[in-house]
Amino acid sequence: MKRLCEARAYSAKPVAACYWASTTDTPELANLTQDINTEIAIIGAGFTGLSAAHHLAKRGADVTVIEAEFPAFGATGRNGGFCCLGGAQAKNAQLDKRYGKVQRLAYRRSEVAAVGLVKTLLAELNLQADTHSSGETLLAHRASDCDSLKNSRAQIKEDYGVEALFHSKSELRQLGMQGPFHGALTIPIGFGLNPRKYAYGLLSSAVKNGGKVFVSSPVIDLKKAGETFRLTTPQGSITADRVIIATNAYAAEDLPDWMAGRFMPLHSSVIVTEPLTPKQIEAQGWSSAQMAYDTRQLLHYFRLMPNRQFLFGMRGGLFSTDRSEAAIQKLITRDFHTMFPAWKRVKIRHFWTGMVCMTRHQIPFIGAIPNLSGAYAGFGYHGNGVAMASYAGAVLSDLVIGGAPNFERPKLLGTQPPKFPLGRYRRHLLAPAYALKYLQDL
């Protein structure tokens, strides 16, 4: 198994102080210690893999999930819990040029469907995932960004079929979103949730419906022999008719070889405070339950959770080392205190990091792996995987089973991601990109 990043990135160290771990128990599951057969094997117990397992098991398929660490170990169990629009980083002009307006609109509506799917799953499975927020609010960190927000409303209406609401700076204070912001735009789609509670609900459903899940069992080799796949782990193996790769940024370059160079891990960091008192909330002027993010390229995202603890995250970071992690922790704390100065003395109880996944064509891939019949993959959600990865898992369940689909897949989501240049050194491309984005944010 060949991985792109430092070994530390795949260890428990970056996620050791994750807030979500304190909110729910990790399911106790067995390691794979024997050779077994299954109809469909899924590598990765994150949103993509667990959603696929849930939908496949409900349809009576013989499905087995194999996880290298514990369920929701990757981005699924360490994200900010924003169930929102997104998944692609490509802008509308790029999508129209490559695929045409019809396909762009089909993709944008799939973003809406992805959020709706998560809402439906929470209700159907009766999951209590600490949901809140009426859509998402984008905050202008520069006065000049307000015109762009206002002008984007017509495009949002065309893409998503909803009316976005602009808020002036004075209105933000009245809405309990006071800070260094010049205006904002609320899109009434999406909500915040506890990602582990949601993910473990999907897992429980898959198992209840006959699915099998094994943990602490990394797949170290994947081979196809005849019509079946053999997945080898340190203590056992799985022989499967079909296989789904659902590892996203934590993927290996050679499982299968087609994955090499087709994904780029990007780092994201999160802090969570102690519970805020009414006095502290009043002092800062942020009492809103809205999930929010700013207009920076290297954005900050944040929300006041139902228990009054404040979550604050940011993009950035190139490598997973003790030194780089310490630098990121210092930077995210500085930015948090700059944006919310009244909370400088509030204790930060949790800090963790993780990796999100980018593709070179800046859209997710959900489809069959070329020249490897029976193999499928879903990855590249660009930091918005709560909804889109869940949707990817549902779409993959359709593709694997065949027949009339239950979930629409816009054609562009089946476009093969081109490889990044520089092979295993491709992360070095991020340094100049981050520098440019930093300058654009000034």
Side-chain angles (χ1 to χ4, degrees):
M1 179 171 57
K2 299 177 182 177
R3 281 174 155 171
L4 183 64
C5 300
E6 301 83 7
R8 185 185 187 282
Y10 308 101
S11 74
K13 200 167 186 179
V15 74
C18 180
Y19 166 70
W20 306 123
S22 69
T23 66
T24 185
D25 294 329
T26 302
E28 294 185 8
L29 298 163
N31 301 4
L32 180 64
T33 58
Q34 58 184 319
D35 300 331
I36 65 170
N37 296 313
T38 190
E39 182 184 0
I40 302 160
I42 300 174
I43 304 177
F47 288 135
T48 305
L50 294 175
S51 174
H54 159 78
H55 287 94
L56 288 166
K58 277 189 67 177
R59 295 169 74 172
D62 175 20
V63 59
T64 300
V65 180
I66 188 80
E67 166 59 44
E69 299 296 335
F70 56 81
F73 170 78
T76 291
R78 57 180 94 184
N79 65 82
F82 282 50
C83 181
C84 59
L85 298 168
Q89 196 171 35
K91 305 300 183 184
N92 277 356
Q94 296 171 285
L95 296 177
D96 286 353
K97 183 177 180 180
R98 294 180 199 163
Y99 311 105
K101 181 178 178 179
V102 171
Q103 280 303 307
R104 182 254 295 174
L105 288 174
Y107 169 71
R108 294 303 182 198
R109 294 306 168 93
S110 75
E111 294 182 33
V112 180
V115 175
L117 173 62
V118 177
K119 185 176 182 180
T120 297
L121 289 170
L122 290 171
E124 286 183 352
L125 301 177
N126 194 27
L127 302 181
Q128 304 303 312
D130 308 327
T131 57
H132 69 96
S133 188
S134 300
E136 57 182 322
T137 298
L138 176 57
L139 295 150
H141 82 284
R142 295 172 299 204
S144 59
D145 290 334
C146 289
D147 286 340
S148 296
L149 293 181
K150 292 176 183 177
N151 294 336
S152 70
R153 288 176 291 182
Q155 190 65 70
I156 289 168
K157 175 68 173 178
E158 180 181 78
D159 282 344
Y160 304 118
V162 297
E163 300 286 349
L165 181 63
F166 181 79
H167 313 289
S168 67
K169 188 171 184 175
S170 61
E171 288 173 332
L172 288 179
R173 288 193 292 271
Q174 298 169 12
L175 293 169
M177 290 188 278
Q178 187 167 331
F181 313 115
H182 300 271
L185 191 72
T186 293
I187 304 174
I189 299 173
F191 51 90
L193 52 62
N194 181 316
R196 289 207 192 185
K197 289 183 178 181
Y198 165 52
Y200 293 163
L202 291 177
L203 186 155
S204 178
S205 173
V207 172
K208 181 180 178 180
N209 285 285
K212 297 180 286 293
V213 182
F214 295 98
V215 298
S216 302
S217 302
V219 176
I220 55 179
D221 189 44
L222 172 64
K223 290 284 192 303
K224 187 173 187 185
E227 297 300 314
T228 61
F229 294 88
R230 184 176 176 82
L231 294 71
T232 303
T233 71
Q235 295 180 285
S237 70
I238 301 173
T239 299
D241 299 326
R242 281 152 286 172
V243 64
I244 295 174
I245 310 299
T247 43
N248 207 35
Y250 292 78
E253 295 271 79
D254 57 346
L255 294 174
D257 291 337
W258 176 84
M259 289 293 298
R262 299 190 193 277
F263 64 97
M264 178 79 81
L266 305 175
H267 287 262
S268 195
S269 309
V270 185
I271 56 175
V272 169
T273 69
E274 64 182 345
L276 299 169
T277 66
K279 185 176 181 180
Q280 289 169 327
I281 289 172
E282 182 181 3
Q284 179 55 54
W286 188 283
S287 58
S288 173
Q290 280 294 103
M291 58 180 185
Y293 60 104
D294 62 23
T295 51
R296 289 177 172 85
Q297 296 286 324
L298 297 175
L299 59 83
H300 301 94
Y301 51 95
F302 39 90
R303 60 189 180 102
L304 183 62
M305 295 185 287
N307 65 354
R308 305 291 91 181
Q309 288 182 263
F310 197 79
L311 180 149
F312 183 89
M314 63 176 285
R315 296 281 189 265
L318 295 174
F319 304 104
S320 183
T321 64
D322 289 344
R323 182 177 179 180
S324 64
E325 194 116 318
I328 285 293
Q329 185 172 10
K330 184 177 181 180
L331 181 60
I332 192 173
T333 302
R334 185 202 69 184
D335 286 5
F336 171 62
H337 289 160
T338 299
M339 293 176 70
F340 301 97
W343 293 340
K344 283 186 177 180
R345 294 186 178 181
V346 170
K347 291 181 180 179
I348 296 173
R349 288 189 173 176
H350 303 271
F351 164 76
W352 70 94
T353 64
M355 298 188 294
V356 301
C357 184
M358 176 183 178
T359 62
R360 191 177 180 187
H361 64 344
Q362 299 183 316
I363 58 175
F365 175 76
I366 309 171
I369 295 176
N371 304 314
L372 193 62
S373 179
Y376 303 82
F379 63 94
Y381 312 117
H382 300 86
N384 289 288
V386 176
M388 188 51 69
S390 299
Y391 193 73
V395 170
L396 287 167
S397 73
D398 278 345
L399 295 175
V400 170
I401 292 292
N406 293 322
F407 301 91
E408 293 293 329
R409 183 189 67 158
K411 290 181 180 178
L412 64 85
L413 290 176
T415 305
Q416 176 172 279
K419 291 188 176 185
F420 285 95
L422 301 185
R424 63 190 181 95
Y425 300 106
R426 61 186 180 274
R427 284 187 299 158
H428 292 277
L429 295 168
L430 294 173
Y434 280 165
L436 177 60
K437 289 180 182 295
Y438 177 80
L439 292 174
Q440 291 173 334
D441 287 338
L442 296 177

